[in-house]
Amino acid sequence: MPDSWLDLDPDAPFGLATLPYGVFSTAADPAPRTGVAVGAHVLDLGAAARAVGAPFADTVAGPSLDALMAAGRPVWDQVREALTAWLTDPAHEAAVRPHLVERDAVTLHLPFTVADYVDFYASEHHASNVGRIFRPEQEPLTPNWRHLPIGYHGRSGTVVVSGTDIVRPTGQRKPPTEPAPVFGPSVRLDIEAEVGFVVGTPSPMGSRVAVDDFADHVFGVFLLNDWSARDLQAWEYVPLGPFLGKSFATSVSPWIVPVAALSAARVEQPAQDPEPLPYLRGAQPWGLDLRLEVRLNGHVVSRPPFELMYWTAAQQLAHMTVNGASLRTGDVYASGTVSGPEAGQRGCLLELTWSGKEPLHLPDGTERTFLEDGDEVTITATAPGPDGTRVDFGEVAGRVLPAR
Amino acid sequence: MPDSWLDLDPDAPFGLATLPYGVFSTAADPAPRTGVAVGAHVLDLGAAARAVGAPFADTVAGPSLDALMAAGRPVWDQVREALTAWLTDPAHEAAVRPHLVERDAVTLHLPFTVADYVDFYASEHHASNVGRIFRPEQEPLTPNWRHLPIGYHGRSGTVVVSGTDIVRPTGQRKPPTEPAPVFGPSVRLDIEAEVGFVVGTPSPMGSRVAVDDFADHVFGVFLLNDWSARDLQAWEYVPLGPFLGKSFATSVSPWIVPVAALSAARVEQPAQDPEPLPYLRGAQPWGLDLRLEVRLNGHVVSRPPFELMYWTAAQQLAHMTVNGASLRTGDVYASGTVSGPEAGQRGCLLELTWSGKEPLHLPDGTERTFLEDGDEVTITATAPGPDGTRVDFGEVAGRVLPAR
């Protein structure tokens, strides 16, 4: 990878291997606009494209990534190639440098319009643990689990950008000791560390998207915290699935990593047994070697390994559309909680504390079963880039406010 | 109710008691624009408002109802009052009449941008029947059913307007006689006759909407067919709820009946036992006396009574937001299948044919368990209007195309 005329610290986040897209504003110019994170800076994408006279300037110069996402893979490739050229070729420095702003000084916004939001359940370790906790008298995995990537629709309207405070949800829960449900703030507020995918190129109703067409449709990858009220969820979810236990908030990281940045992060998919039906098979199945870290009040409590996910993002896309459901630009789908086989690799407190029975002891001397008011959760991730470089996902963070 | 200078046939649909909103285009002017159904005509709402010089002309003169819905209840009341005045006061005839087009000659469109879509499960008769069919070894109603209106999120991107053809979905199903799931077109394609509600006035994240604030937030009411592939659904829905069995298509009627048109249709809500928690109680609980009819290939197969629904639309709205989930303009929620206690009042084929065991014999000599390719389903409804008038919902119709 060539060097940049920007003096990039190789250990600092957002080198040339990532070049993620986001939407930012500044105190001097509060209008949200698209940007690219590079080192300690954000490049104003629309302004730079106009300064350079790029053919895609109008597509990227909006208040969100929507138009770029809808433009399709050839444009995505063209923009990424241009960005690398602008930041490495000294001939572009004079035009581009004026459109860099300090990353510390920007406000980041939800970078695209969320269309539908689907949440999957693709970690075998997570699904098995949850099965053992929620349905101890049954087999941990339901009979369908190894045949299809289980998923459900979540609430698009409460997808919020990292940094948004999360008000503790209120609702019905039924403690086993009570004859009837009680009402009040959730007492089992949890996180779910997940990886999210956003669709750029739509597909028409009545058609399917094949596993191998993933990169033609998916624009980018990001981190997602699917906040969960376990007590609300446990009482409501039979027979139609999670609803209010999830719908109060879902946080996403502000920087969308292009699929093209993850070619060096592709790894072999874990073996699947039984072999999935043909529509869930690709020419060369691959997972993604994303290494997540979950911090609670600054302390690392888990390091979930995304490469072990049983169902891949490409399989999830094929499954989501096999019934003819259309895709829209802005459709988000998430992996489901990322959990590995070891205790320190579990992606939610439900598993990390085994439903509250084994509290976490934090280095600051406190202990936690579920989240307390004021707690802050931060999820970060990196992946291998080409030639020993690193791809950075930044973070998704949120703080819990007391119930209203 | 005063007479119109338009010679309205009192037996024909869309008299002055309804005045529903929609979006239409014509061969001469293919640009979608808002309209109001009145008798055999559609009034071009934006053009009429401009001709009359109405203060809300800019709000209603768009390509969808989005701006009117977002404008809030005082504007909704103002527009409805103005419409009645325009159509009854001869002084307005000269300005308004040029903006009437023949209803037969218009194309109707999806009238608003669907934000989130939630489907409830509020008929005790439907939920009991489905419980008996899907989970014969258990109590028909789950323990939570009488404590909260069970609901789940559906796919907004596949909500389509009446008249859109429905491609038979494909996917996994597991016949009890097979050791593993098989792949192919659904062989148990069904309908669900429902009533839909669309939110106009949004609410912020972290706040709740009270039962008694229903009419401040809900803009209008319409009919909805929640097409369902029962075989896909039965295999996938444990533990996270329906997904591909529903997400391929949801059809809605094109005319949105204002909440204000339904004041004479309010009836006492069926008794609830146990008494719901306080957040689900209103000052004066009410249901809606909507009388649905379901036709299969032109033959009436069911007459579901909406007034018997256990959970009301106002309770559903309060429940949906009790956890702090925000509302957006365009959020749709549906009642769930409307079924009454009698066999001829069931709102889906699963119940009408008792899971295919008791085929329907149609007057044309054919019989049906589930839908066949080419079948057309039409759901209509009326409600009592003031002073002996009738409120018309029009219809939601769709034809089944073979799987691709």
Side-chain angles (χ1 to χ4, degrees), chain A residues 116 144 147 151 153 155-157 170 172 183 205 235 238 241 243-244 247-248 279 319 322-323 326 328 331, chain B residues 116 144 147 151 153 155-157 170 172 183 205 235 238 240-241 243-244 247-248 279 319 322-323 326 328 331:
Chain A
D116 274 299
N144 52 12
H147 292 281
H153 285 87
R155 192 164 185 84
S156 311
T170 295
Q172 293 192 27
F183 182 81
M205 215 168 134
W235 172 233
V238 175
F243 184 39
L244 301 190
S247 66
F248 56 97
Y279 81 92
H319 185 64
V322 71
N323 67 346
S326 52
R328 290 183 294 174
D331 279 348
Chain B
D116 274 299
N144 51 12
H147 292 281
H153 285 87
R155 192 164 185 85
S156 311
T170 293
Q172 294 193 26
F183 181 80
M205 217 168 133
W235 172 233
V238 175
L240 299 186
F243 183 39
L244 301 190
S247 66
F248 58 96
Y279 81 91
H319 186 64
V322 71
N323 66 344
S326 52
R328 290 183 294 174
D331 278 349

Side-chain angles (χ1 to χ4, degrees), chain B residues 20-23 33-36 45 59-60 62-71 76 110-113 198 200 219 254-256 329:
Chain B
Y21 300 103
V23 168
R33 51 206 189 273
T34 65
V36 175
L45 181 53
T59 304
V60 298
S64 80
L65 299 177
D66 295 359
L68 173 59
M69 297 196 317
W76 308 339
L110 192 65
F112 54 82
T113 307
V198 61
F219 172 76
W255 293 112
I256 310 303
T329 300

Side-chain angles (χ1 to χ4, degrees), chain A residues 326-337:
Chain A
S326 52
L327 295 175
R328 290 183 294 174
T329 300
D331 279 348
V332 164
Y333 65 102
S335 59
T337 307

Side-chain angles (χ1 to χ4, degrees), chain B residues 179-201:
Chain B
V182 298
F183 181 80
S186 169
V187 296
R188 289 163 67 90
L189 181 60
D190 199 355
I191 58 151
E192 293 196 332
E194 307 197 15
V195 175
F197 299 84
V198 61
V199 169
T201 307

Side-chain angles (χ1 to χ4, degrees), chain B residues 255-276:
Chain B
W255 293 112
I256 310 303
V257 175
V259 170
L262 296 170
S263 50
R266 291 197 180 195
V267 289
E268 208 177 327
Q269 176 181 16
Q272 293 190 303
D273 181 21
E275 185 180 39

